[in-house]
Each structure stands twice: as structure tokens, then as C-alpha cells.
Amino acid sequence: VNALPVITSPLLSEYQLCVNEVQELTVITSSPEVIIGSGTNFNSDTAAETAFCNRWSQSKQQYIYTAAELIAAGANAGKILSMAYNISTPGDDNSNANYTVKMKHVTQNSFANTTYLVDGFTTVFGPSTYVHSNSGWQIINLTTPFIWDGVHNVVIELTHLGANDIYNAKTAYNTTTNNCAIVDQSGTALSKVAGALSNKKLDIKLGFEPPAVTWLLQQLILTLVDKI
């Protein structure tokens, strides 16, 4: 009747109990989320690496998040149901039209050149107008879950329209040692096949589907301890 629980700590295979002693097996439900990025650096309000571009009329960005980063953050293979970006300022508008998110598995951990990846993407959100608040984590609930295989790296592509004004939303990021991104903000960004290489990776929070728990009672083994 209730939602499937999530085990937050593994149960032991055997418990030693005294007569009439009760051992409670606790399972706590929670929504597993993983965060990649420290959240201590925020980009300038004119940088192309932004969750919400309004300095220009169009934005196209691709970022590689490695399997090692996902695993280190606590992720397991499964469905990604949501994603979020952390901003400190809203930019010149609180909405972006045609906001679209795509994902795909890759083996590479950086971009070899300025050409955007094209084939094999799954559209997981949009195109839709996305409205964001002035600061904090901005959650994007995916309309189509992305199933991470637990092995490959993941490319996330962001495209959207902007207000063509002055400022973008300042977005939390981390600097990497390689070219983990390709970005472009311009009036023709969506049609471009190439952008600019970047070593700035937007911090991201990913919400995974809670793993299913199968309850199976095979045999109850009690070890009686004789108290003398």
C-alpha cells in the first residue's frame, strides 16, 4: 500500500538475540539526491556557463559529468527523475522560453574540439518555458527519465532562449583540469554546430528514483545466549 522504502543502511545477515529480546529492523524512506560540485563558486553574470541565459537571445551548452563523479557523490545506476542548478542571482528575467534538456551516455571525459555532440541524445525536458526564482536550487523535473547505466559518463545539453538584455543568472560551478564543456551564447546559438571550449562545469543536483526493496523472509535463526 505504501511507497517502496529506501534502505539507508544495510541490514545484518544475522542478529544474536537473548530470549524475549526484540530487534527492530528499520527502513527509512527518503528521496536519493546526489550533488556534483562544491557550491562555493558562482560564475559572473555575463558568463556563458549559466543555467539561465538572458544576456543573449539564445544559449547552447554541453557538459560532461563523469561516472567517477556520480559514484563519488553517491549515485547508483538507475532512473534520473530530476536535476537542479544553484544560482545566486536571477539575471535580467525569471523565465526562459524553449528550455530544453538532453542527455546521453559517452565514454569520453572531455571534449576534444569545439564541435557539439549530436547523435544519441534523449530529450528529458522541454522544449518548455522554465520559470526560476531569484536564488537557490532550481529544480527541473524531467518529463522523460534518463536511465544511467552506472558505468558511462553523461553529457547534459542545455538550450534555451533568453531576453537579449545584459545579465545571466550567476550559477555555481567548479573548474576542472580539462575541457568538460562547450558553450555558446549568441543570437544564433541554437543553430551552431560548434561553440567555445570551457573548463567550467556547472554544479548539479540529480534526483534518482528510489531503489526498489524486496522483502523476503526465508528463515528466522535465533541464537540464544545463556545468561549466567
Side-chain angles (χ1 to χ4, degrees):
V1 220
N2 297 319
L4 291 173
V6 176
I7 296 178
T8 56
S9 59
L11 301 176
L12 301 180
S13 59
E14 180 178 327
Y15 291 86
Q16 292 191 359
L17 306 176
C18 294
V19 177
N20 297 325
E21 184 179 350
V22 175
Q23 172 67 50
E24 182 180 2
L25 306 181
T26 304
V27 175
I28 302 173
T29 30
S30 62
S31 178
E33 292 180 335
V34 299
I35 298 176
I36 297 176
S38 62
T40 56
N41 300 317
F42 285 85
N43 238 335
S44 73
D45 49 20
T46 59
E49 301 89 349
T50 176
F52 308 105
C53 175
N54 276 300
R55 175 174 172 81
W56 293 88
S57 60
Q58 298 183 19
S59 173
K60 184 174 184 179
Q61 308 165 57
Q62 289 184 351
Y63 298 91
I64 297 177
Y65 295 90
T66 68
E69 289 175 318
L70 288 163
I71 293 170
N76 292 304
K79 289 183 180 179
I80 301 175
L81 303 180
S82 67
M83 53 185 282
Y85 293 109
N86 189 15
I87 63 174
S88 61
T89 63
D92 280 320
D93 202 329
N94 285 88
S95 68
N96 291 90
N98 281 42
Y99 204 99
T100 307
V101 182
K102 298 179 180 181
M103 296 185 183
K104 68 174 290 186
H105 288 116
V106 292
T107 56
Q108 68 199 72
N109 59 12
S110 63
F111 292 98
N113 52 57
T114 60
T115 303
Y116 288 110
L117 301 182
V118 178
D119 297 326
F121 279 98
T122 297
T123 300
V124 296
F125 180 85
S128 179
T129 297
Y130 185 85
V131 179
H132 62 274
S133 63
N134 289 341
S135 63
W137 286 104
Q138 310 300 313
I139 300 174
I140 301 170
N141 292 310
L142 305 186
T143 50
T144 301
F146 182 79
I147 304 176
W148 180 51
D149 62 9
V151 177
H152 287 87
N153 304 328
V154 177
V155 174
I156 297 180
E157 177 182 283
L158 302 179
T159 58
H160 54 265
L161 304 182
N164 197 26
D165 204 338
I166 301 175
Y167 299 123
N168 297 326
K170 289 184 178 181
T171 309
Y173 76 98
N174 270 298
T175 302
T176 65
T177 57
N178 57 18
N179 292 318
C180 60
I182 302 176
V183 298
D184 184 81
Q185 56 173 348
S186 66
T188 57
L190 301 189
S191 61
K192 286 189 173 181
V193 297
L197 290 171
S198 173
N199 65 347
K200 293 180 178 180
K201 183 182 300 187
L202 297 184
D203 291 359
I204 196 168
K205 181 194 293 186
L206 298 173
F208 282 78
E209 180 181 56
V213 176
T214 301
W215 296 98
L216 178 62
L217 181 60
Q218 292 181 320
Q219 185 178 7
L220 179 62
I221 302 176
L222 294 179
T223 303
L224 301 180
V225 179
D226 187 14
K227 291 185 178 179
I228 300 177

